[in-house]
Amino acid sequence: GEPLENGSLKFMFDRKAVVEFVKPEDKDVEEIELELIDAGLEELEVGEESCLAYGEYTAFNTLAKAVEELGLEVKKAKLEMIANNPQEFSDELIAEIEVLIDKLEDDDDVQDVYTNIA
């Protein structure tokens, strides 16, 4: 068989812009969502204290800027690899994968390890 190209797993992930901001007490989250859709927002996850705005990675700057312009406090803004087809794995396999990930993370050459374990 052909050796796997380094990028062969890339198709399993989408690069997304992720902007986390403090959930405002004085603003309606739905209103914020509408404002951010114009800036490239695809999905807004609302937590108890913070919100996560997801968009295409090409919209990263626009989205981050729009959050700031709404007067929201940005906790962090980053590009993230998000699994676009989360795989179901057995517990044994997950345990093995976690061992592998630990080994990879201990390797100085490896910067970030991404998985798509659901």
Short mmCIF file of all heavy atoms in Angstrom, two decimals, residues 50-84:
data_model
loop_
_atom_site.label_atom_id
_atom_site.label_comp_id
_atom_site.label_asym_id
_atom_site.label_seq_id
_atom_site.Cartn_x
_atom_site.Cartn_y
_atom_site.Cartn_z
N SER A 50 -19.88 31.76 29.46
CA SER A 50 -19.29 32.25 28.21
C SER A 50 -19.99 31.67 27.00
O SER A 50 -20.75 30.70 27.11
CB SER A 50 -17.79 31.94 28.17
OG SER A 50 -17.60 30.55 28.22
N CYS A 51 -19.73 32.29 25.86
CA CYS A 51 -20.31 31.84 24.60
C CYS A 51 -19.18 31.51 23.64
O CYS A 51 -18.12 32.15 23.67
CB CYS A 51 -21.17 32.94 23.99
SG CYS A 51 -22.52 33.46 25.04
N LEU A 52 -19.43 30.54 22.79
CA LEU A 52 -18.46 30.19 21.75
C LEU A 52 -19.07 30.47 20.40
O LEU A 52 -20.14 29.94 20.07
CB LEU A 52 -18.10 28.70 21.84
CG LEU A 52 -17.18 28.26 22.97
CD1 LEU A 52 -17.12 26.73 23.03
CD2 LEU A 52 -15.79 28.82 22.80
N ALA A 53 -18.40 31.31 19.64
CA ALA A 53 -18.87 31.62 18.29
C ALA A 53 -17.99 30.87 17.30
O ALA A 53 -16.77 30.99 17.33
CB ALA A 53 -18.77 33.12 18.04
N TYR A 54 -18.63 30.05 16.46
CA TYR A 54 -17.90 29.30 15.45
C TYR A 54 -18.17 29.86 14.07
O TYR A 54 -19.32 30.19 13.75
CB TYR A 54 -18.35 27.83 15.44
CG TYR A 54 -17.98 27.05 16.66
CD1 TYR A 54 -18.87 26.93 17.73
CD2 TYR A 54 -16.74 26.42 16.75
CE1 TYR A 54 -18.53 26.21 18.87
CE2 TYR A 54 -16.39 25.69 17.88
CZ TYR A 54 -17.28 25.58 18.94
OH TYR A 54 -16.94 24.87 20.06
N GLY A 55 -17.13 29.95 13.25
CA GLY A 55 -17.32 30.39 11.87
C GLY A 55 -16.26 29.77 10.99
O GLY A 55 -15.35 29.11 11.48
N GLU A 56 -16.38 29.97 9.69
CA GLU A 56 -15.35 29.50 8.77
C GLU A 56 -14.02 30.15 9.15
O GLU A 56 -13.99 31.31 9.54
CB GLU A 56 -15.71 29.88 7.32
CG GLU A 56 -16.72 28.95 6.68
CD GLU A 56 -16.25 27.51 6.64
OE1 GLU A 56 -15.04 27.25 6.40
OE2 GLU A 56 -17.09 26.62 6.85
N TYR A 57 -12.93 29.42 8.98
CA TYR A 57 -11.64 29.99 9.39
C TYR A 57 -11.28 31.24 8.60
O TYR A 57 -10.58 32.11 9.09
CB TYR A 57 -10.52 28.95 9.33
CG TYR A 57 -10.03 28.58 7.95
CD1 TYR A 57 -8.88 29.18 7.43
CD2 TYR A 57 -10.68 27.62 7.18
CE1 TYR A 57 -8.42 28.85 6.16
CE2 TYR A 57 -10.22 27.28 5.92
CZ TYR A 57 -9.09 27.89 5.42
OH TYR A 57 -8.63 27.55 4.18
N THR A 58 -11.82 31.36 7.39
CA THR A 58 -11.56 32.56 6.59
C THR A 58 -12.23 33.79 7.21
O THR A 58 -11.86 34.92 6.92
CB THR A 58 -12.09 32.38 5.16
OG1 THR A 58 -13.42 31.88 5.22
CG2 THR A 58 -11.24 31.38 4.38
N ALA A 59 -13.22 33.57 8.07
CA ALA A 59 -13.95 34.68 8.68
C ALA A 59 -13.37 35.04 10.05
O ALA A 59 -13.95 35.81 10.80
CB ALA A 59 -15.43 34.33 8.82
N PHE A 60 -12.21 34.46 10.38
CA PHE A 60 -11.65 34.62 11.72
C PHE A 60 -11.53 36.07 12.16
O PHE A 60 -12.05 36.46 13.20
CB PHE A 60 -10.28 33.92 11.77
CG PHE A 60 -9.62 34.01 13.11
CD1 PHE A 60 -10.10 33.29 14.19
CD2 PHE A 60 -8.52 34.83 13.30
CE1 PHE A 60 -9.50 33.38 15.43
CE2 PHE A 60 -7.90 34.92 14.54
CZ PHE A 60 -8.40 34.19 15.61
N ASN A 61 -10.86 36.88 11.33
CA ASN A 61 -10.64 38.28 11.71
C ASN A 61 -11.95 39.05 11.82
O ASN A 61 -12.16 39.82 12.75
CB ASN A 61 -9.72 38.98 10.70
CG ASN A 61 -8.31 38.44 10.79
OD1 ASN A 61 -7.92 37.87 11.81
ND2 ASN A 61 -7.55 38.59 9.72
N THR A 62 -12.82 38.83 10.85
CA THR A 62 -14.11 39.53 10.82
C THR A 62 -14.93 39.19 12.06
O THR A 62 -15.53 40.06 12.69
CB THR A 62 -14.93 39.09 9.59
OG1 THR A 62 -14.03 38.73 8.55
CG2 THR A 62 -15.86 40.18 9.12
N LEU A 63 -14.94 37.90 12.39
CA LEU A 63 -15.75 37.43 13.52
C LEU A 63 -15.21 37.98 14.84
O LEU A 63 -15.96 38.50 15.66
CB LEU A 63 -15.76 35.89 13.52
CG LEU A 63 -16.77 35.18 14.40
CD1 LEU A 63 -18.20 35.62 14.08
CD2 LEU A 63 -16.65 33.67 14.24
N ALA A 64 -13.89 37.88 15.00
CA ALA A 64 -13.27 38.36 16.25
C ALA A 64 -13.50 39.85 16.41
O ALA A 64 -13.80 40.34 17.51
CB ALA A 64 -11.78 38.03 16.24
N LYS A 65 -13.39 40.58 15.29
CA LYS A 65 -13.57 42.03 15.34
C LYS A 65 -15.02 42.38 15.66
O LYS A 65 -15.30 43.29 16.44
CB LYS A 65 -13.17 42.62 13.99
CG LYS A 65 -12.75 44.06 14.05
CD LYS A 65 -12.01 44.47 12.79
CE LYS A 65 -12.54 45.81 12.31
NZ LYS A 65 -12.45 46.03 10.89
N ALA A 66 -15.95 41.63 15.06
CA ALA A 66 -17.37 41.89 15.29
C ALA A 66 -17.74 41.68 16.76
O ALA A 66 -18.52 42.45 17.33
CB ALA A 66 -18.22 40.98 14.39
N VAL A 67 -17.16 40.65 17.36
CA VAL A 67 -17.42 40.39 18.78
C VAL A 67 -16.94 41.57 19.62
O VAL A 67 -17.65 42.07 20.49
CB VAL A 67 -16.74 39.06 19.23
CG1 VAL A 67 -16.79 38.92 20.74
CG2 VAL A 67 -17.40 37.86 18.56
N GLU A 68 -15.73 42.03 19.31
CA GLU A 68 -15.19 43.18 20.05
C GLU A 68 -16.02 44.43 19.83
O GLU A 68 -16.27 45.20 20.76
CB GLU A 68 -13.74 43.45 19.61
CG GLU A 68 -12.76 42.47 20.22
CD GLU A 68 -11.34 42.67 19.72
OE1 GLU A 68 -11.08 43.68 19.02
OE2 GLU A 68 -10.49 41.81 20.01
N GLU A 69 -16.47 44.62 18.58
CA GLU A 69 -17.23 45.83 18.28
C GLU A 69 -18.59 45.85 18.95
O GLU A 69 -19.17 46.90 19.17
CB GLU A 69 -17.38 45.99 16.75
CG GLU A 69 -16.11 46.56 16.14
CD GLU A 69 -16.14 46.60 14.62
OE1 GLU A 69 -17.15 46.15 14.03
OE2 GLU A 69 -15.15 47.06 14.03
N LEU A 70 -19.09 44.65 19.31
CA LEU A 70 -20.35 44.59 20.05
C LEU A 70 -20.12 44.90 21.53
O LEU A 70 -21.03 44.86 22.33
CB LEU A 70 -21.00 43.21 19.90
CG LEU A 70 -21.64 42.91 18.54
CD1 LEU A 70 -22.07 41.46 18.47
CD2 LEU A 70 -22.84 43.82 18.30
N GLY A 71 -18.86 45.17 21.86
CA GLY A 71 -18.54 45.50 23.25
C GLY A 71 -18.47 44.27 24.14
O GLY A 71 -18.61 44.37 25.36
N LEU A 72 -18.25 43.12 23.53
CA LEU A 72 -18.17 41.89 24.31
C LEU A 72 -16.73 41.61 24.68
O LEU A 72 -15.81 41.95 23.94
CB LEU A 72 -18.73 40.72 23.49
CG LEU A 72 -20.19 40.90 23.04
CD1 LEU A 72 -20.53 39.92 21.94
CD2 LEU A 72 -21.14 40.74 24.21
N GLU A 73 -16.54 40.98 25.82
CA GLU A 73 -15.19 40.70 26.30
C GLU A 73 -14.71 39.37 25.74
O GLU A 73 -15.23 38.31 26.08
CB GLU A 73 -15.20 40.67 27.83
CG GLU A 73 -13.82 40.56 28.44
CD GLU A 73 -13.89 40.30 29.94
OE1 GLU A 73 -14.85 40.76 30.58
OE2 GLU A 73 -12.97 39.63 30.45
N VAL A 74 -13.73 39.43 24.86
CA VAL A 74 -13.19 38.22 24.24
C VAL A 74 -12.29 37.49 25.23
O VAL A 74 -11.35 38.06 25.77
CB VAL A 74 -12.40 38.55 22.95
CG1 VAL A 74 -11.77 37.30 22.37
CG2 VAL A 74 -13.31 39.20 21.92
N LYS A 75 -12.61 36.22 25.49
CA LYS A 75 -11.75 35.41 26.36
C LYS A 75 -10.62 34.82 25.55
O LYS A 75 -9.48 34.86 25.94
CB LYS A 75 -12.56 34.30 27.04
CG LYS A 75 -13.49 34.81 28.12
CD LYS A 75 -14.37 33.71 28.65
CE LYS A 75 -13.87 33.15 29.96
NZ LYS A 75 -14.86 32.23 30.56
N LYS A 76 -10.97 34.21 24.42
CA LYS A 76 -9.92 33.80 23.50
C LYS A 76 -10.47 33.64 22.09
O LYS A 76 -11.64 33.36 21.91
CB LYS A 76 -9.19 32.55 23.97
CG LYS A 76 -10.02 31.32 24.25
CD LYS A 76 -9.05 30.18 24.60
CE LYS A 76 -9.74 28.88 24.92
NZ LYS A 76 -10.10 28.69 26.31
N ALA A 77 -9.58 33.86 21.16
CA ALA A 77 -9.94 33.70 19.75
C ALA A 77 -8.86 32.85 19.11
O ALA A 77 -7.68 33.12 19.28
CB ALA A 77 -10.03 35.07 19.08
N LYS A 78 -9.28 31.77 18.44
CA LYS A 78 -8.26 30.92 17.84
C LYS A 78 -8.83 30.16 16.66
O LYS A 78 -10.05 30.11 16.47
CB LYS A 78 -7.72 29.93 18.88
CG LYS A 78 -8.78 29.04 19.53
CD LYS A 78 -8.13 28.21 20.63
CE LYS A 78 -8.98 27.08 21.15
NZ LYS A 78 -10.22 27.36 21.77
N LEU A 79 -7.94 29.59 15.89
CA LEU A 79 -8.35 28.69 14.82
C LEU A 79 -8.25 27.29 15.38
O LEU A 79 -7.29 26.94 16.03
CB LEU A 79 -7.42 28.84 13.61
CG LEU A 79 -7.65 30.10 12.79
CD1 LEU A 79 -6.54 30.28 11.79
CD2 LEU A 79 -8.99 30.05 12.06
N GLU A 80 -9.29 26.50 15.14
CA GLU A 80 -9.32 25.17 15.71
C GLU A 80 -9.64 24.16 14.63
O GLU A 80 -10.34 24.47 13.66
CB GLU A 80 -10.43 25.14 16.77
CG GLU A 80 -10.07 24.39 18.01
CD GLU A 80 -11.15 24.53 19.08
OE1 GLU A 80 -12.22 23.94 18.91
OE2 GLU A 80 -10.91 25.25 20.07
N MET A 81 -9.12 22.96 14.79
CA MET A 81 -9.48 21.87 13.88
C MET A 81 -10.65 21.14 14.55
O MET A 81 -10.52 20.67 15.67
CB MET A 81 -8.32 20.90 13.71
CG MET A 81 -7.07 21.54 13.17
SD MET A 81 -7.19 21.94 11.43
CE MET A 81 -6.59 20.42 10.72
N ILE A 82 -11.76 21.07 13.86
CA ILE A 82 -12.94 20.43 14.44
C ILE A 82 -13.32 19.24 13.57
O ILE A 82 -13.39 19.34 12.35
CB ILE A 82 -14.10 21.43 14.54
CG1 ILE A 82 -13.71 22.53 15.54
CG2 ILE A 82 -15.39 20.74 14.97
CD1 ILE A 82 -14.65 23.68 15.61
N ALA A 83 -13.53 18.11 14.22
CA ALA A 83 -13.88 16.90 13.48
C ALA A 83 -15.22 17.10 12.80
O ALA A 83 -16.18 17.52 13.43
CB ALA A 83 -13.95 15.71 14.43
N ASN A 84 -15.27 16.80 11.51
CA ASN A 84 -16.54 16.98 10.82
C ASN A 84 -17.32 15.69 10.72
O ASN A 84 -18.44 15.66 10.24
CB ASN A 84 -16.34 17.60 9.43
CG ASN A 84 -15.36 16.81 8.59
OD1 ASN A 84 -15.20 15.61 8.77
ND2 ASN A 84 -14.70 17.49 7.68
#
